[in-house]
């Protein structure tokens, strides 16, 4: 195998990881199935109100996309019907490095909750992710270079705040797709009755220290997702008033 071929395979694996934010990427990782460069590049248009605010869309190849509309101010609507998708944007200068974050969110409908700790059964109507830069390492350099090649961010560590699942509020789980690099924190159980705005406030620094055992670097991206590709059913949720402080 030539060096160019080997690098291309690494690039495809890195991009597939970024698109899924849940496919493990590392020397022992399995090759993702049927990931081709044309699939990596495919993205659906976003409403102008979102794209003008710096949001971009990541879709999982071979899966129906989640849909996003509205705005952070009035309510960013997230819906999925047997699909999955991620909306992301880089953090602004006044947001990156802040220790705390708050927002309002609501879930109006969702399929029956499933176990977030089980890969292939971890659907959720709404999640907010913080993506942190890749650590300095040879493998991290390859991931970052591959992401730059296709203009897709490839995060290092990931904190995921979830509304959904069978777990109780406050439970902290290893991300089943990112066992070394991802932590799930359940803020609202999927058993909670739908409807009504709820305000959340989280301590980014404390959660990162808890999850990974060292102080966090400045977060680089925020992402919002819905995932309903494992169990049948449609979800509808909203997020607004995302703020960073401290």
């Amino acid at each position: 195998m030539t060096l160019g071929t080997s690098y291309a395979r690494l690039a495809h694996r890195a991009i597939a990881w970024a698109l899924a934010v849940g496919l493990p990427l590392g020397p022992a990782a399995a090759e993702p199935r049927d990931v081709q460069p044309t699939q990596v590049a495919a993205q659906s248009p976003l409403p102008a109100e979102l794209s003008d605010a710096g949001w971009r869309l990541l879709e999982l190849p071979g899966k129906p996309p989640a849909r996003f509309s509205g705005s952070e101010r009035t309510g960013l609507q997230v819906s999925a019907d047997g699909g999955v998708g991620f909306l992301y944007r880089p953090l602004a200068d006044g947001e990156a490095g802040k220790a705390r974050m708050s927002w309002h969110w609501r879930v109006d409908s969702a399929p029956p909750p499933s176990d977030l700790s089980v890969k292939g059964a971890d659907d959720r109507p709404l999640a907010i992710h913080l993506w942190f830069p890749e650590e300095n390492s040879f493998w991290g350099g390859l991931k970052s270079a591959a992401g730059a090649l296709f203009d897709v961010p490839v995060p290092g560590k990931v904190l995921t705040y979830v509304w959904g699942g069978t777990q109780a509020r406050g439970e902290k789980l290893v991300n089943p797709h990112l066992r070394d690099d991802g932590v799930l924190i359940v803020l609202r159980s999927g058993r909670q009755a739908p409807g009504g705005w709820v305000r959340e406030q989280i301590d980014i620094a404390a959660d990162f220290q808890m999850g990974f055992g060292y102080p966090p670097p400045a977060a680089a991206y925020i992402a919002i997702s819905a995932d309903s590709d494992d169990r049948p059913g449609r979800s509808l949720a909203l997020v607004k008033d995302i703020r960073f402080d401290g």
Side-chain angles (χ1 to χ4, degrees), residues 94-130:
E95 297 174 326
K98 297 296 186 181
R100 292 183 294 275
M101 175 183 172
S102 64
W103 67 88
H104 289 80
W105 59 355
R106 63 183 290 167
V107 169
D108 289 342
S109 63
S114 56
D115 188 345
L116 298 174
S117 69
V118 177
K119 187 188 299 186
D122 54 332
D123 285 355
R124 62 275 183 123
L126 190 55
I128 293 181
H129 315 259
L130 291 175

Side-chain angles (χ1 to χ4, degrees), residues 169-190:
R169 173 175 169 83
E171 286 202 40
K172 300 172 177 64
L173 311 169
V174 172
N175 187 317
H177 302 277
L178 301 171
R179 295 200 172 274
D180 295 326
D181 296 321
V183 172
L184 302 177
I185 300 175
V186 180
L187 295 184
R188 302 286 161 178
S189 171

